[in-house]
Amino acid sequence: MIFIVSCHSPDVDAIACSIGYSELLKKKGIVVCPTYFGDLSKEVEFVRKYTDFFPPKKHEGKYPDGSEFILVDVSDPADIESVIPPEKVVEVFDHRELVFTDEFVNAKLNIEKVGSCATLITEKFEKEDIEPSRNTAIYLYSAIISNTINFKNLVTTRRDIDMANWLKSISQISDDYVRQMFEYKSKIRNANDLIFLIEQDFATKTTRGKNVGIAQIEIVNLEEVINLYRKDIEKSIERIKKEEKDDYILFSGIDIVRGFNIFITFDNRSEELFSRVLEIPKIGGGYKTDEIIMRKQIRPKIEKYLTK
């Protein structure tokens, strides 16, 4: 059996790729099983409720002997389940600049710098002249819109826009669909909701022997939320830093409607590193950008800086 897998607690891009590629392969007569592990993001919950369609199965424990794997929206062995042998990975799809594919010695690599991994999967449908089902098209469209932040993100390419337009024509969604999805993922009724968002999409990477953590949240009304819950954010980041044993940590908030970041650091070492990496004045209590900078864009800068 071939299992399609992604990273821990997948976002809508990873889930959409899993659903999309499994449908495409099944239409070509290849038996596969889409799976996930961890929790699901709020955007996945929204699309799941909207479509009442969710083929991936939650996985725990071990996979059957002889299993093979396809990775979607992930290319770092550290981000997949530890029970997956890297040599059993037969294909990898990812769209990041910084990838770690050396261990996947038997895998066909599909690594291209586009805004969303779902764009790569959608292009596979188009190339094979196969139209995805309406529900699958909705997932893939949602993923492209989410990852490019409705095309406001600097990583957006013409390929993302073209595939999103094709998927939208298939999905027949309402004009206010994107607004509904963004508002759903931004529902913060109390500090616990915000802390869940921070923890759900937090990631630590070891770079040149240093643990570097980045908390990224993508919501509407970012400035208002930060002003209201600033102390809770600080407590959450300090606790995570201690638990993850991070040498450096950054809070990155993204306003998905107005199109900017607010970066915050909470210790001098982190402020010095990220100010230099991002080539901006001291971050301190908050630095507001003029454009959106995603975590996947920051990671290669950290790698380059710490290597020097």
Side-chain angles (χ1 to χ4, degrees), residues 184-237:
Y184 186 91
K185 74 179 288 185
S186 302
K187 284 181 182 176
I188 297 175
R189 297 158 297 185
N190 51 51
N192 288 335
D193 285 347
L194 179 58
I195 291 169
F196 173 80
L197 283 181
I198 291 172
E199 293 179 346
Q200 202 272 336
D201 199 17
F202 181 85
T204 291
K205 294 286 185 187
T206 301
T207 304
R208 302 299 170 178
K210 300 294 183 181
N211 290 339
V212 184
I214 301 178
Q216 178 174 285
I217 65 168
E218 304 161 25
I219 59 173
V220 300
N221 301 320
L222 175 66
E223 288 180 290
E224 292 88 337
V225 169
I226 288 176
N227 289 335
L228 186 60
Y229 296 109
R230 189 177 199 85
K231 290 184 178 178
D232 299 290
I233 294 172
E234 183 172 358
K235 288 179 182 178
S236 177
I237 293 297

Side-chain angles (χ1 to χ4, degrees), residues 263 271-283 287 289 293 298 301-302 304-305 308:
F263 296 123
E271 180 177 14
E272 182 179 1
L273 173 73
F274 288 106
S275 292
R276 291 185 178 184
V277 164
L278 296 168
E279 299 180 327
I280 58 178
K282 286 189 175 182
I283 295 171
Y287 180 87
T289 66
I293 304 173
I298 299 173
K301 295 177 184 291
I302 296 170
K304 183 177 180 180
Y305 179 81
K308 288 166 59 179

Side-chain angles (χ1 to χ4, degrees), residues 42-54 139 177 184 187:
K42 282 193 172 184
E43 281 176 309
V44 175
E45 289 179 6
F46 173 81
V47 184
R48 185 177 188 172
K49 290 178 181 178
Y50 187 90
T51 59
D52 193 25
F53 173 73
F54 192 76
Y139 271 98
Y177 176 84
Y184 186 91
K187 284 181 182 176

Side-chain angles (χ1 to χ4, degrees), residues 29-261:
I30 302 171
V31 179
V32 295
C33 178
T35 67
Y36 74 96
F37 74 116
D39 301 316
L40 297 173
S41 71
K42 282 193 172 184
E43 281 176 309
V44 175
E45 289 179 6
F46 173 81
V47 184
R48 185 177 188 172
K49 290 178 181 178
Y50 187 90
T51 59
D52 193 25
F53 173 73
F54 192 76
K57 297 180 180 179
K58 185 167 185 175
H59 180 261
E60 294 176 347
K62 294 184 178 180
Y63 288 93
D65 291 340
S67 297
E68 293 182 322
F69 304 90
I70 296 171
L71 306 185
V72 292
D73 196 33
V74 64
S75 55
D76 188 343
D79 290 339
I80 62 175
E81 291 174 276
S82 59
V83 296
I84 296 177
E87 67 275 11
K88 293 295 184 181
V89 174
V90 296
E91 195 166 14
V92 179
F93 288 87
D94 204 0
H95 63 115
R96 292 165 177 79
E97 179 180 348
L98 189 61
V99 296
F100 307 87
T101 54
D102 293 347
E103 292 187 41
F104 305 125
V105 293
N106 297 313
K108 177 183 177 183
L109 303 179
N110 305 277
I111 313 291
E112 298 186 58
K113 287 173 63 177
V114 290
S116 170
C117 193
T119 295
L120 303 180
I121 301 298
T122 306
E123 288 176 338
K124 287 280 188 182
F125 276 96
E126 186 184 51
K127 184 177 180 180
E128 298 283 346
D129 197 23
I130 297 174
E131 185 173 291
S133 65
R134 177 174 180 264
N135 284 333
T136 294
I138 292 173
Y139 271 98
L140 292 168
Y141 175 77
S142 302
I144 296 173
I145 291 299
S146 174
N147 260 46
T148 64
I149 309 185
N150 205 12
F151 311 130
K152 292 185 178 73
N153 193 339
L154 290 176
V155 300
T156 305
T157 67
R158 184 73 242 175
R159 293 163 65 184
D160 298 299
I161 296 170
D162 289 345
M163 290 301 97
N165 288 337
W166 182 52
L167 292 165
K168 187 176 182 181
S169 68
I170 299 169
S171 61
Q172 302 174 356
I173 54 174
S174 60
D175 291 337
D176 66 343
Y177 176 84
V178 173
R179 177 190 60 79
Q180 289 181 46
M181 182 173 69
F182 282 175
E183 287 181 352
Y184 186 91
K185 74 179 288 185
S186 302
K187 284 181 182 176
I188 297 175
R189 297 158 297 185
N190 51 51
N192 288 335
D193 285 347
L194 179 58
I195 291 169
F196 173 80
L197 283 181
I198 291 172
E199 293 179 346
Q200 202 272 336
D201 199 17
F202 181 85
T204 291
K205 294 286 185 187
T206 301
T207 304
R208 302 299 170 178
K210 300 294 183 181
N211 290 339
V212 184
I214 301 178
Q216 178 174 285
I217 65 168
E218 304 161 25
I219 59 173
V220 300
N221 301 320
L222 175 66
E223 288 180 290
E224 292 88 337
V225 169
I226 288 176
N227 289 335
L228 186 60
Y229 296 109
R230 189 177 199 85
K231 290 184 178 178
D232 299 290
I233 294 172
E234 183 172 358
K235 288 179 182 178
S236 177
I237 293 297
E238 287 178 346
R239 178 178 52 78
I240 292 172
K241 184 175 186 289
K242 185 176 180 180
E243 291 175 353
E244 296 285 328
K245 298 180 181 178
D246 286 332
D247 297 286
Y248 309 98
I249 194 166
L250 175 73
F251 171 85
S252 173
I254 297 174
D255 193 301
I256 54 182
V257 172
R258 299 171 189 167
F260 60 81
N261 291 66

Side-chain angles (χ1 to χ4, degrees), residues 293-307:
I293 304 173
M294 303 295 288
R295 181 169 52 202
K296 65 174 70 71
Q297 296 167 270
I298 299 173
R299 289 291 184 193
K301 295 177 184 291
I302 296 170
E303 175 81 17
K304 183 177 180 180
Y305 179 81
L306 291 180
T307 299

